[in-house]
Amino acid sequence: MDSKKKGLNTICTHEGQLEDKQHRGAVSPLYMGTSYAFEDVDVKRYPRYFNTPNQVGLAKKIAALEHAEAALIFGSGMAAISTALMAFLKAGDHIVLQNMLYGGTYNLVTEEFEKFGISYSFTDGLAASDFESKIQENTKVIYIETPSNPLLTITDIGAISQIAKKHGLVSMIDNTFASPVNQNPIDFSIDVVIHSATKYMGGHSDICAGAVASTQEHMERIFGLAKNLGGSLSDYTVWLLERSIKTMGIRVRAQNVNAQHMAEYLESNGDIEAVYYPGLKNHPDYELAKSQMKGFGGMLSFELKEGLDASQFQKNLKLIKSSMSLAGIESTVLSPTQTSHALLSAEERKKQGIKDGLIRFSVGIEEPEDLIADIEQALKVVGNLQLQ
Ligand SMILES: *Cc1c(COP(=O)(O)O)cnc(C)c1O
């Protein structure tokens, strides 16, 4: 199937599906085998070689979703990120990374790279010049994440891929927050696209997985390291993830609509100091987001007005739960200062613009009226606390 000619939901539903020849069932059969007869000398199927029937089928679907030639599925987003990075970096090399990054990626770089002799620079800002100014003679990779966590900043994907091409670097993006529904970086000439499939691809808060998509040539290099590191995903979870992705298009599009609705509501609410959502016209990068995204996504963040207690607010929400993760069909909130960015110093958080009262909101598929009612009753409680 030429995936470029097929629409999103058709790819989600059909691409890479395995045929049940034995019983003609409607879904992919699940092959849990770890042992297969040699089909020929080149094909030795084994789960850690990323080539069981279910792994290969799902990889095709993810490659098609990202307009890539090939993909691999990993046991977590961090397995995908670490394998992709290390496949292109060796002792003596240097990498340029954007300053706003997922906490786990930041930890990987700052806690592990030095012992492998890999040096790194974080940008000061997100402009193309901020990236270019950090490039050194030994730079090999440039790494971005857009929209970013937790302030939903936008990085210019096309500008970064051009800089990478100009300097002969491999460009990589963490595309988790957008999902392939809202953003396809390969269309903007990015080399390697990475996902935590734990988030929108899984979408039901019950799968931990990751994925990398790129050209055949790059994926062969990544596979070369992946089989040695051993970060493949078990076939049962592969099968569950395939099922989850079938509804990814409709889920994420519903979350786009709900997040826009909630962002506009929060912006109009007098108890809210600031709302960060790329779909709001006053977001500093609204036009850029519009030019590179098909939808603005289901993630936003906001701050309560001075004097309103953000942690009491979260405790008093009833429908919307506090949760470490994101991107499920259920709405959740999190305080970056207390969780995802707790390891950063107060100084570092301030530099990144993350205030203590910031609340990250992963908008689900519930009816927006019910989400609003929940927020209003919680605001009322914290308003009364302020008066006491
Ligand atoms: C969750 C997340 C990751 C890490 O994924 P895991 O599946 O938890 O390993 C990486 N990047 C982003 C943007 C994430 O949200």
Side-chain angles (χ1 to χ4, degrees):
M1 184 172 93
D2 182 352
S3 56
K4 285 227 169 99
K5 295 210 183 80
K6 295 278 197 279
L8 174 77
N9 280 322
T10 313
I11 297 173
C12 283
T13 315
H14 294 287
E15 183 72 34
Q17 171 126 357
L18 304 183
E19 203 183 326
D20 177 0
K21 291 192 180 121
Q22 209 170 0
H23 304 292
R24 304 183 63 206
V27 303
S28 291
L30 166 57
Y31 297 101
M32 288 294 288
T34 56
S35 172
Y36 292 87
F38 290 173
E39 288 177 22
D40 58 57
V41 280
D42 289 332
V43 184
K44 297 181 181 70
R45 285 193 197 275
Y46 187 63
R48 190 169 43 74
Y49 293 168
F50 296 73
N51 64 359
T52 62
N54 290 89
Q55 288 171 336
V56 171
L58 180 59
K60 268 192 201 147
K61 193 193 287 291
I62 290 174
L65 284 166
E66 280 295 7
H67 307 170
E69 288 172 12
L72 288 175
I73 300 139
F74 289 83
S76 69
M78 285 314 302
I81 291 168
S82 56
T83 307
L85 283 172
M86 299 310 267
F88 291 93
L89 293 166
K90 61 178 188 324
D93 288 346
H94 173 258
I95 175 173
V96 175
L97 305 114
Q98 98 172 36
N99 61 353
M100 295 266 196
L101 280 187
Y102 175 72
T105 310
Y106 179 85
N107 294 345
L108 167 71
V109 171
T110 56
E111 291 172 16
E112 310 294 341
F113 274 23
E114 204 182 319
K115 71 172 174 241
F116 294 109
I118 300 163
S119 59
Y120 52 87
S121 304
F122 289 100
T123 61
D124 299 318
L126 298 180
S129 56
D130 289 312
F131 286 85
E132 197 155 27
S133 67
K134 298 286 179 186
I135 294 173
Q136 309 175 1
E137 218 174 289
N138 57 342
T139 305
K140 295 287 158 59
V141 174
I142 196 161
Y143 187 97
I144 62 171
E145 185 178 322
T146 180
S148 74
N149 180 16
L151 287 172
L152 289 304
T153 60
I154 304 294
T155 308
D156 187 334
I157 302 174
I160 300 306
S161 72
Q162 287 322 304
I163 290 172
K165 296 246 178 309
K166 186 171 137 196
H167 295 272
L169 316 177
V170 173
S171 55
M172 294 191 189
I173 185 170
D174 182 333
N175 204 31
T176 302
F177 263 39
S179 92
V181 177
N182 290 325
Q183 187 166 276
N184 295 123
I186 287 174
D187 294 351
F188 297 85
S189 303
I190 285 281
D191 295 311
V192 178
V193 179
I194 309 172
H195 282 280
S196 167
T198 313
K199 312 298 165 53
Y200 287 104
M201 285 189 177
H204 296 71
S205 310
D206 55 8
I207 285 173
C208 182
V212 181
S214 186
T215 58
Q216 193 68 42
E217 189 188 343
H218 283 331
M219 288 316 300
E220 272 165 27
R221 183 165 175 160
I222 292 166
F223 169 70
L225 178 65
K227 69 177 194 310
N228 292 337
L229 292 182
S232 60
L233 184 64
S234 106
D235 278 302
Y236 178 65
T237 314
V238 167
W239 182 84
L240 267 183
L241 183 56
E242 185 206 344
R243 189 185 69 162
S244 300
I245 292 177
K246 288 186 185 209
T247 57
M248 180 175 65
I250 54 173
R251 276 190 279 111
V252 172
R253 283 170 177 169
Q255 285 168 300
N256 290 344
V257 171
N258 269 7
Q260 184 75 39
H261 192 110
M262 295 310 294
E264 286 170 12
Y265 156 74
L266 288 166
E267 200 177 32
S268 71
N269 187 314
D271 287 335
I272 308 298
E273 178 68 35
V275 183
Y276 304 89
Y277 184 62
L280 289 177
K281 294 213 172 63
N282 63 10
H283 185 287
D285 289 316
Y286 170 74
E287 289 300 333
L288 175 60
K290 216 168 108 176
S291 72
Q292 64 188 24
M293 301 182 80
K294 296 164 202 174
F296 297 111
M299 298 299 302
L300 61 91
S301 55
F302 60 96
E303 286 155 15
L304 303 188
K305 275 255 150 68
E306 181 88 32
L308 294 174
D309 186 330
S311 73
Q312 279 301 326
F313 168 75
Q314 290 180 71
K315 280 194 191 118
N316 280 286
L317 288 167
K318 295 191 168 105
L319 183 63
I320 306 167
K321 298 282 187 299
S322 285
S323 157
M324 186 72 187
S325 198
L326 58 107
I329 49 171
E330 69 286 348
S331 291
T332 58
V333 286
L334 160 152
S335 162
T337 302
Q338 288 164 12
T339 54
S340 59
H341 293 68
L343 291 176
L344 296 185
S345 64
E347 186 61 28
E348 187 59 32
R349 276 198 299 271
K350 202 169 156 213
K351 217 172 100 192
Q352 296 200 8
I354 301 167
K355 302 209 176 116
D356 284 347
L358 186 76
I359 296 164
R360 189 185 77 188
F361 188 5
S362 171
V363 183
I365 62 166
E366 302 94 336
E367 301 302 331
E369 310 81 85
D370 296 327
L371 298 174
I372 289 170
D374 195 26
I375 288 171
E376 305 227 303
Q377 66 80 24
L379 282 173
K380 209 163 150 192
V381 177
V382 288
N384 288 337
L385 285 175
Q386 188 188 20
L387 295 177
Q388 280 165 16

